[in-house]
Amino acid sequence: MGSTGVRIAIDAMGGDNAPGEIVAGALRAVEELGVKVLLVGSPEDIERTLPPSIKSEQVEIVPAEGAIAMDEEPLSGIRRKPKASINVAMSLVKKGQADAVISAGHSGAAMAAALLRLGRLPGIERPAIGAVFPTMVASKQVLVLDVGANVDCRPKFLEQFAILGSAYSQYVLGVAEPKVGLLNIGEEECKGNDVAIRAHQMITENPYISFVGNAEGRDVLSGDFDVIVCDGFVGNILLKFAEAVGEIMLQIIREELPQGLRGQLGCSILKPNLKRIKQRVDHAEHGGALLLGVNGICVIGHGSSQAPSIFGAIRLAKEAVDNQVLERIHSQNLNEKSIL
């Protein structure tokens, strides 16, 4: 389970199902992971969702005023609402009162708040959202970044994403020498647009990246790569497509299982296998994605997150804290390893 006493600031007002599902996932994390949660938002709304028996020393309500709406422009929204829940949650990390922050609200606002309050790591111009995908190789995962933070990227941004992804894959996912691929329309280094061609050259020449070449769409889940780098436009489409495929797989399994007594007996036999399948393909099991490149641990969840997803996001944040991801990325000397 790792260390206990990790403090997680949670934007309790962010997301389609706030604050009820957010609080429910947080309380499960308190029980199963031993974390302390700081629920940021309207005290009245949060208190209505809390059971009277909750342990006050593990759950704290931090007052905030409002949230950033999904249709608001991120930067202007967080500047106009300095006491919004996402701003207050980020400030808790900045002040050292929390070890990590989680939000299932406006992802653009979360990124903007992180940049303004936490700042970027040295040598990083743009942070990236990194999401973990299952692969065809049992127990192996692939980290894909960026999946939504940067719609347009320069070649050097992609190179920096490769460095960030390599550090995360090594220190959190336990890959000794992460193999990095650049998402492209062909394996040949001459394929792709100008950004992809130039990024290929820059990543190839960086001695700190174990680059194995371009990765086509069919290669993402093959297990041949540990890190896949792309811009946020393509990455976000890839992420949501993969989530839909996982949901379809689970639905097909449910529909194809026999009905009646025979189905019940079969399900009881297959239950451990079905549970493992769900853990591998259901995005709710992972909960969210880490915003890499900012000077703090920040996990961005799905806007539609329910309690299991929030629990998964908290687990991800705790793993990042336990594995000292921020300190280890700092030690990579990004100023020297990046071409700025």
Side-chain angles (χ1 to χ4, degrees):
M1 187 172 66
S3 63
T4 57
V6 174
R7 301 160 301 172
I8 309 291
I10 302 173
D11 175 8
M13 311 311 293
D16 301 336
N17 302 299
E21 291 294 320
I22 310 298
V23 173
L27 296 182
R28 179 185 167 193
V30 168
E31 181 69 24
E32 297 185 24
L33 303 178
V35 298
K36 176 178 180 178
V37 295
L38 294 86
L39 301 171
V40 182
S42 164
E44 296 78 13
D45 292 338
I46 294 172
E47 286 171 357
R48 278 197 290 266
T49 67
L50 287 173
S53 60
I54 193 67
K55 297 179 180 179
S56 59
E57 68 270 15
Q58 291 179 276
V59 179
E60 180 180 345
I61 297 176
V62 180
E65 298 177 6
I68 309 299
M70 295 301 291
D71 59 352
E72 288 188 74
E73 197 281 324
L75 189 57
S76 64
I78 64 170
R79 284 177 170 166
R80 285 188 298 102
K81 301 177 179 178
K83 295 183 180 180
S85 54
I86 186 60
N87 281 328
V88 175
M90 289 290 177
S91 295
L92 291 173
V93 175
K94 177 67 174 179
K95 296 174 184 176
Q97 297 173 0
D99 302 302
V101 60
I102 291 171
S103 177
H106 195 314
S107 59
M111 178 176 168
L115 285 171
L116 287 179
R117 281 165 171 73
L118 304 179
R120 293 184 294 248
L121 290 174
I124 295 298
E125 295 188 43
R126 294 285 184 88
I129 301 175
V132 175
F133 288 61
T135 72
M136 292 186 286
V137 178
S139 73
K140 183 173 183 179
Q141 299 173 310
V142 59
L143 177 69
V144 179
L145 71 167
D146 178 24
V147 295
N150 307 278
V151 174
D152 298 304
C153 287
R154 299 176 186 175
K156 61 183 174 183
F157 297 167
L158 296 174
E159 181 195 13
Q160 291 168 10
F161 296 168
I163 294 173
L164 290 170
S166 295
Y168 183 83
S169 181
Q170 182 177 357
Y171 296 123
V172 177
L173 302 182
V175 181
E177 188 174 349
K179 294 182 289 185
V180 178
L182 176 66
L183 191 60
N184 207 332
I185 59 173
E187 295 180 358
E188 299 82 2
E189 61 183 72
C190 61
K191 289 290 184 68
N193 56 22
D194 182 60
V195 171
I197 293 172
R198 290 168 57 202
H200 187 286
Q201 180 181 357
M202 294 172 70
I203 298 173
T204 299
E205 294 173 353
N206 192 317
Y208 300 99
I209 302 171
S210 181
F211 185 50
V212 294
N214 287 334
E216 297 184 79
R218 64 189 176 198
D219 300 319
V220 174
L221 306 182
S222 67
D224 294 334
F225 297 87
D226 301 297
V227 178
I228 297 286
V229 175
C230 60
D231 65 54
F233 182 87
V234 172
N236 191 261
I237 294 172
L238 180 65
L239 173 67
K240 291 175 179 176
F241 179 77
E243 290 174 351
V245 170
E247 291 172 359
I248 290 171
M249 283 185 59
L250 294 173
Q251 181 62 31
I252 290 173
I253 291 172
R254 285 191 288 264
E255 291 175 354
E256 294 300 323
L257 287 173
Q259 301 298 313
L261 180 60
R262 193 169 68 129
Q264 293 177 8
L265 290 172
C267 287
S268 65
I269 297 172
L270 294 174
K271 187 174 181 179
N273 305 79
L274 295 173
K275 184 176 181 180
R276 287 193 294 270
I277 291 172
K278 185 176 187 297
Q279 290 172 339
R280 290 181 64 178
V281 303
D282 188 0
H283 65 85
E285 294 288 338
H286 303 286
L290 204 64
L291 182 61
L292 295 167
V294 295
N295 195 19
I297 301 298
C298 175
V299 176
I300 297 178
H302 302 275
S304 60
S305 291
Q306 296 186 347
S309 295
I310 296 301
F311 172 81
I314 295 172
R315 181 177 57 199
L316 174 61
K318 183 178 185 297
E319 288 174 354
V321 173
D322 287 341
N323 287 283
Q324 299 180 308
V325 169
L326 201 60
E327 293 81 1
R328 293 178 186 274
I329 292 177
H330 264 301
S331 72
Q332 296 287 301
N333 289 322
L334 295 175
N335 276 317
E336 298 179 8
K337 296 185 180 183
S338 298
I339 303 173
L340 303 178

